[in-house]
Amino acid sequence: MQILPFVCQTIYRSDDRNPALLERALEAAEKVRELQGETATYFRAMSLITLVRADAGGALHLALQSIEADPNFSLAYDAVGQAHKMLGNKKENVSAREENVRLHENDKTAHFNLLIALHELGSTARLQSATEWAIPIFERHTRLNPDDYYTRASLANILLISGKESEALRVADSLSAIESLDVTALYNLACIYRQCKAPLRGMEHLRRAVQAGFRNIDEFRRDSDLDALRDPSSPYHAEFEVLMEQMSEP
């Protein structure tokens, strides 16, 4: 039942929380339960589904059941971290992400989620140590998979978090020249350029992301990287509002 984790990750990452995908995930989860019982994979999948339904407490309970079913199942700790993140439990989120990395130490996604959690916690020393561990993993992956634009954008983000702004811009500029970037990479580049105090470049990539189909309007409303654009006094506020209107159109 490989479709189960795939569908669950898809609905969790989806811009619009597609109801059809949610229903498909529920059907796959139920099929797994019928064939295999209430396994760690089942509980983790149900945790993601519950998180999409905005029930973070229920998602956390299910994720903890996943760990109870298999304490060495790394993705269970990822689910715990996601639930704690939604609940605003920063320290608990970091602890879960650290355990995920310990169990899956070469997994780039596990490292990236830990870095984001440490950044949100404001733990500078631990963040620096974690970035030094993660950067070689991301650099090796991007050398072997140059067409993985999402990971290249993630590498630029990690370099920026670690204080290596010039290197982050070098990676971002190399990506920016690619016409076929997906919407997530474009959005991430927009945030990177804004953090690097390049507002024109940031707006250019936000515009490209929306034109390419980016529709996660919640990110536009809440992402701290875009705080200045939500300020009516910003010279880019009017264009930002236009992009928001475009995203709201059917």
Side-chain angles (χ1 to χ4, degrees), residues 25-225:
L26 286 167
E27 291 174 358
E30 181 59 26
K31 192 68 173 178
V32 165
R33 190 185 67 80
E34 291 175 1
L35 294 174
Q36 301 175 3
E38 296 183 338
T39 63
T41 298
Y42 166 78
F43 282 121
R44 185 253 178 173
M46 289 304 299
S47 176
L48 289 182
I49 292 169
T50 305
L51 200 63
V52 170
R53 290 171 158 173
D55 179 5
L60 178 59
H61 176 72
L62 287 160
L64 292 173
Q65 285 183 280
S66 181
I67 291 175
E68 184 177 345
D70 183 359
N72 293 316
F73 182 43
S74 64
L75 291 178
Y77 296 92
D78 175 68
V80 168
Q82 291 180 39
H84 277 306
K85 180 180 175 67
M86 183 173 281
L87 289 166
N89 301 331
K90 296 180 180 180
K91 290 183 178 179
E92 291 82 357
N93 182 20
V94 167
S95 296
R97 304 299 188 179
E98 287 176 334
E99 189 64 16
N100 188 14
V101 168
R102 185 187 70 81
L103 291 168
H104 210 174
E105 62 182 26
N106 289 316
D107 182 75
K108 62 186 188 302
T109 302
H111 280 276
F112 189 76
N113 288 335
L114 172 59
L115 294 174
I116 296 300
L118 286 168
H119 182 62
E120 292 173 350
L121 182 63
S123 181
T124 305
R126 291 165 71 186
L127 178 60
Q128 189 61 39
S129 176
T131 55
E132 289 174 1
W133 187 6
I135 287 173
I137 294 172
F138 277 78
E139 288 179 333
R140 181 171 61 251
H141 179 88
T142 55
R143 280 197 305 270
L144 296 174
N145 304 274
D147 293 337
D148 185 348
Y149 304 140
Y150 177 81
T151 300
R152 286 171 64 182
S154 297
L155 173 59
N157 211 340
I158 293 170
L159 290 166
L160 187 60
I161 289 173
S162 68
K164 301 176 180 179
E165 184 173 312
S166 60
E167 293 182 42
L169 281 172
R170 176 180 54 78
V171 175
D173 288 343
S174 70
L175 271 174
S176 177
I178 299 170
E179 293 293 330
S180 59
L181 288 181
D182 61 46
V183 295
T184 303
L186 287 167
Y187 179 79
N188 287 342
L189 284 177
C191 293
I192 289 167
Y193 280 120
R194 287 204 57 80
Q195 291 179 68
C196 291
K197 297 179 176 57
L200 282 174
R201 295 285 277 158
M203 284 305 303
E204 173 195 342
H205 287 80
L206 279 182
R207 193 182 312 117
R208 286 176 62 185
V210 173
Q211 290 171 349
F214 188 86
R215 290 297 179 269
N216 192 344
I217 198 168
D218 286 343
E219 287 292 324
F220 268 52
R221 289 171 175 156
R222 295 193 302 241
D223 194 331
S224 60
D225 290 335

